[in-house]
Amino acid sequence: MRGVLAILSHSSRFQRYLRGWHAEYPGLISCFHSNLIPEPYTLTASFTSRGYVSINHSSISKADLDRFLKYLVNAYSKGEDTQFENLLNLKEIKQLLNDRLQFTENIQGLKELERDPEMKKLVEEEKDSHERQMKEIDEELIDLIITNLAGHNFDDVILDISAGIGGQESMLFVKDLLEMYVEHLTYLGYTYDIVELADSMSGGYRYCSLAISGKGCYAKLRHEAGVHRVQRVPATEHSGRMHTSVVSVSVMPQPSEIEINLRQEDLRIDTMRASGAGGQHVNTTNSAVRITHVPSGISVECQTERSQFKNRELAMRKLIAKIYEGKLERQLRNASSMKKQQMGMGLRHEKIRTYNYNQDRVTDHRLKDGTMHNLKGFLEGGAALDNLHAKLQEDHQLKVLLEAVKSVR
């Protein structure tokens, strides 16, 4: 049997997608096919600037993968409770499992006909045909499992950037990261609103918050969550000594209002005059809005827009995201390590990336090959950041799949 890379590369579902993408974006897709991949397998991702085309995985023996698929098929056919219940209830996966069970039943029925010498050749051909179709089903199952195990996907998120240790340098880097993210959102074709922006005397920002919308934006942006470290010589440092500062980034999935039920009687809404720069209109009208969710004590403010209505709308979006994040954190504290990986990586606070200006280097500490040069180009928020996200997504999906396979041994 060939490796999983070969399986996915030749899957009928993958080939259908590939032909469609190739027709729409000629020259963008380069796909590696191989019939000579030994076990264990090597992980490779092919992607375009518009999204991920395919995922191929490594370090999983065929025996372990077969065992995992067998476990899912048995649990589904017997209606047993399993940690993968949500996975088994997906419409596409249920259809594939039903087809697989039907082919298994057909193969069992052919065994009775094998005893007839005149039917033997015909039975063998029919059996081979069923087995080939079962392999194609397994290929599609693996593809769907990888996609759906890797965590929730949302089209709306709240991205917050906060200054940490480092004083003025940290605040200046908040501004640098905000500019990078704004360029990256434009590059991806996402829409955004600046919900909150707290200026500092140094010319940077103490804090800023963005409400972002776009297809699959949580899966793309969640890899930015964590502590970003910057190492550079400040403009005010006359001795040339390099300073180290940190900035924290959080990415909160923003569910719909149906998922988070907010009763009007639980909300306290205050209006006030906006502070800071903004012109005569902003500073003389009650355009700023503060909304407090009384049961939880969570409070948010918004004063970036001239319109009170717009500020209220943005503040409500952020409040919903904050309440949802609290629920998500409680779930994660009581869940297994695999469940944490499925829910995403946005709640970690360890150092994830270093920006070293003296060495013109960016290092993402979650990847073995996470060092890149041309820091200026990276901060432009274009293809370099998008390519890094693709590697991080690939690594995340692999780890989740490995956890899933190991959990049924």
Side-chain angles (χ1 to χ4, degrees), residues 357-388:
Y357 278 69
N358 286 13
Q359 298 176 8
D360 190 31
R361 168 178 62 84
V362 180
T363 298
D364 196 292
H365 303 286
R366 294 163 292 183
L367 298 172
K368 291 181 179 179
D369 59 343
T371 295
M372 298 151 281
H373 292 280
N374 187 14
L375 175 58
K376 182 180 178 181
F378 185 85
L379 291 173
E380 291 174 355
L385 181 56
D386 196 37
N387 291 345
L388 176 61

Side-chain angles (χ1 to χ4, degrees), residues 194-195 254 257 262-265 267-272 286-292 300-320:
I194 297 178
V195 179
Q254 184 181 348
E257 294 186 47
L262 293 182
R263 299 186 305 170
Q264 191 64 35
E265 55 266 32
L267 301 178
R268 185 173 69 245
I269 302 176
D270 302 310
T271 59
M272 66 211 81
N286 291 334
S287 60
V289 175
R290 179 192 298 119
I291 303 178
T292 302
V300 297
E301 292 184 19
C302 185
Q303 59 176 352
T304 57
E305 299 292 329
R306 291 167 59 92
S307 162
Q308 183 189 115
F309 177 79
K310 182 65 173 176
N311 282 330
R312 179 171 174 165
E313 179 185 349
L314 292 173
M316 186 64 76
R317 287 175 63 184
K318 187 172 183 181
L319 178 65
I320 292 170

Side-chain angles (χ1 to χ4, degrees), residues 310-370:
K310 182 65 173 176
N311 282 330
R312 179 171 174 165
E313 179 185 349
L314 292 173
M316 186 64 76
R317 287 175 63 184
K318 187 172 183 181
L319 178 65
I320 292 170
K322 278 186 171 289
I323 293 173
Y324 182 82
E325 184 191 33
K327 291 187 175 183
L328 185 60
E329 285 179 335
R330 288 193 293 274
Q331 290 174 1
L332 290 178
R333 280 196 294 268
N334 299 322
S336 65
S337 60
M338 178 187 162
K339 186 67 174 178
K340 289 180 183 179
Q341 288 186 358
Q342 290 179 11
M343 297 299 286
M345 300 182 293
L347 301 175
R348 297 183 177 180
H349 300 290
E350 72 269 25
K351 175 185 65 185
I352 62 165
R353 193 177 302 151
T354 295
Y355 306 76
N356 189 300
Y357 278 69
N358 286 13
Q359 298 176 8
D360 190 31
R361 168 178 62 84
V362 180
T363 298
D364 196 292
H365 303 286
R366 294 163 292 183
L367 298 172
K368 291 181 179 179
D369 59 343

Side-chain angles (χ1 to χ4, degrees), residues 46-72:
S46 301
F47 55 92
T48 72
S49 62
R50 293 177 179 260
Y52 304 106
V53 175
S54 69
I55 273 293
N56 300 317
H57 40 291
S58 69
S59 305
I60 306 174
S61 69
K62 183 185 180 300
D64 286 341
L65 194 62
D66 286 345
R67 187 183 300 110
F68 178 62
L69 288 175
K70 184 178 179 181
Y71 170 84
L72 292 180

Side-chain angles (χ1 to χ4, degrees), residues 122-269:
L122 183 61
V123 167
E124 287 177 354
E125 291 176 356
E126 190 70 13
K127 185 179 177 182
D128 287 344
S129 175
H130 287 333
E131 288 177 346
R132 282 195 301 272
Q133 292 179 78
M134 282 182 64
K135 286 179 183 178
E136 291 183 4
I137 289 173
D138 287 349
E139 294 161 15
E140 296 193 36
L141 277 172
I142 292 168
D143 200 2
L144 285 170
I145 288 167
I146 291 172
T147 301
N148 288 283
L149 272 180
H152 290 298
N153 197 8
F154 295 90
D155 295 335
D156 301 281
V157 301
I158 297 291
L159 187 148
D160 291 343
I161 316 171
S162 304
I165 298 171
Q168 289 186 358
E169 265 302 296
S170 179
M171 297 178 196
L172 288 170
F173 195 59
V174 169
K175 183 178 181 181
D176 292 338
L177 284 185
L178 174 60
E179 291 172 354
M180 179 183 78
Y181 290 141
V182 166
E183 290 297 323
H184 190 56
L185 297 176
T186 302
Y187 174 84
L188 294 173
Y190 293 164
T191 60
Y192 67 91
D193 289 296
I194 297 178
V195 179
E196 194 171 349
L197 195 62
D199 296 326
S200 73
M201 298 295 291
S202 64
Y205 303 126
R206 295 189 303 275
Y207 172 81
C208 63
S209 182
L210 297 170
I212 302 165
S213 298
K215 184 66 176 176
C217 67
Y218 179 62
K220 293 285 285 185
L221 299 175
R222 65 177 171 183
H223 303 292
E224 292 303 301
V227 174
H228 295 241
R229 181 175 70 175
V230 57
Q231 297 173 322
R232 61 185 176 187
V233 178
T236 56
E237 177 59 60
H238 301 297
S239 64
R241 184 170 61 91
M242 185 171 68
H243 288 214
T244 297
S245 308
V246 297
V247 168
S248 295
V249 176
S250 68
V251 181
M252 300 177 290
Q254 184 181 348
S256 69
E257 294 186 47
I258 296 174
E259 292 174 276
I260 298 295
N261 253 330
L262 293 182
R263 299 186 305 170
Q264 191 64 35
E265 55 266 32
D266 291 338
L267 301 178
R268 185 173 69 245
I269 302 176

Side-chain angles (χ1 to χ4, degrees), residues 268-284:
R268 185 173 69 245
I269 302 176
D270 302 310
T271 59
M272 66 211 81
R273 292 183 181 179
S275 60
Q280 184 178 1
H281 174 81
V282 172
N283 292 297
T284 58

